[in-house]
Amino acid sequence: MADDQPRPFRVDAEVSPGEKRQFRVEVSETYLGDPVELPVTIINGAATGPRVFMTAAIHGDELNGVKVLQEVADRYRPGDLHGTLVLLHVVNVPGYHAQQRYLPIYDQDLNRSFPGKERSNTAERMAHRVYQRFVSQCDLGLDFHTSTRNRTTMYHARADVDDPAVERLAEAFGTNVILSGEGDEGSLRGVASRNGVPTLTVEMGKAHRFQPGLIEKALDGVESVLAEYGVYPDGTVTEPAWRKVIGPTEEKRWLRADTGGLVDMTWGPNPLVHAGETICTISDHFKDEEHAVEAPFTGLIVGVLENPVALPGHPLCHLVRISDETREEIEREIGRGEFDGYRSYGQRWMADEEAAE
């Protein structure tokens, strides 16, 4: 078949050009010997183009991406596409069933197990099947995550922007903040990118729920990527009003509690804080002692504790330093009422469309 002709996508079955199929692929077994099946959508465009994989719930309690992929599967048709979408709706099926981050068996982290091994522990076997059957057949990828339980994270991307192919992908997705780095050992994005499949991690919000505002932003990012790579020619490439790339050598810090007690977050209504501002206070139950936690530098809060109690050493927030130029652009955007991200409500970080509980 000529290179300029669309190709079938082969897994257990074949998805022909111009076809959309939704099915389940066995990636493991239960203690009873029943199959553990991963739900998959493949939309194979009628015209040739790149193959794009998207993954959600590699950590089983991280649900925003699950909704993103459901909407992507519903939104695009084979006739719209020059290329192929490979959507792995729930990668960590056992963790998803248990609504927990890791595989319930031995608490193995699936996102530290790629590219996996055919004969190894449960996580590496599952990772091997996912990687070989899907990821290795693709040209680029988006991996959707949220923060872990009791924390939330600003909408941002993680990518190795020192790799020009990954940098192009990260810029196309269009988040304001990009944390740059190669990725942890065994992470899907790190392994895939090093193997020539540029991959971006999208971090968005909190575990155990859908956050519609963030989901809509992610869907815009997906369209922007598909437009940039010509997969969806009718789409629009979006450009954020400002962008901050935070490299491995730039200052970012988890501020931690020095005392135990009740945590009262006082930052807001946006995640821009200035040096010396109080981010939160920690007090004892009698409120006889209260300790203020101040920003050591001007920056953005990209992650925050949601559990209102802390022990000494507990992480409170993840703060990244920004330049005066970036701060001024953010302040202008705040003034226009267009700040990309979140507003605070007590100790929750919500998308703008959400109401307080």
Side-chain angles (χ1 to χ4, degrees), residues 209-230:
R209 67 178 305 179
F210 292 155
Q211 294 170 282
L214 304 186
I215 291 164
E216 286 302 316
K217 290 180 184 295
L219 288 169
D220 290 342
V222 168
E223 179 180 320
S224 183
V225 166
L226 298 184
E228 166 67 21
Y229 288 85

Side-chain angles (χ1 to χ4, degrees), residues 157-172 175 177-183 189 193 198-200 243-248 250:
R158 299 189 180 191
D160 181 11
V161 299
D162 289 336
D163 181 336
V166 178
E167 181 183 32
R168 178 189 176 192
L169 176 60
E171 290 184 351
T175 59
V177 174
I178 302 171
L179 296 187
S180 180
E182 292 185 355
R189 78 168 174 94
S193 296
T199 299
L200 177 76
R243 178 181 286 123
K244 170 63 175 175
V245 177
I246 302 164
E250 294 189 70

Side-chain angles (χ1 to χ4, degrees), residues 89 117 123 133 145-146 158 177 184 191 213 218 240 251 273 298:
H89 293 263
K117 297 178 182 177
R133 293 186 181 190
H145 287 259
T146 74
R158 299 189 180 191
V177 174
D184 292 312
V191 170
E251 188 166 8
V273 295
T298 297

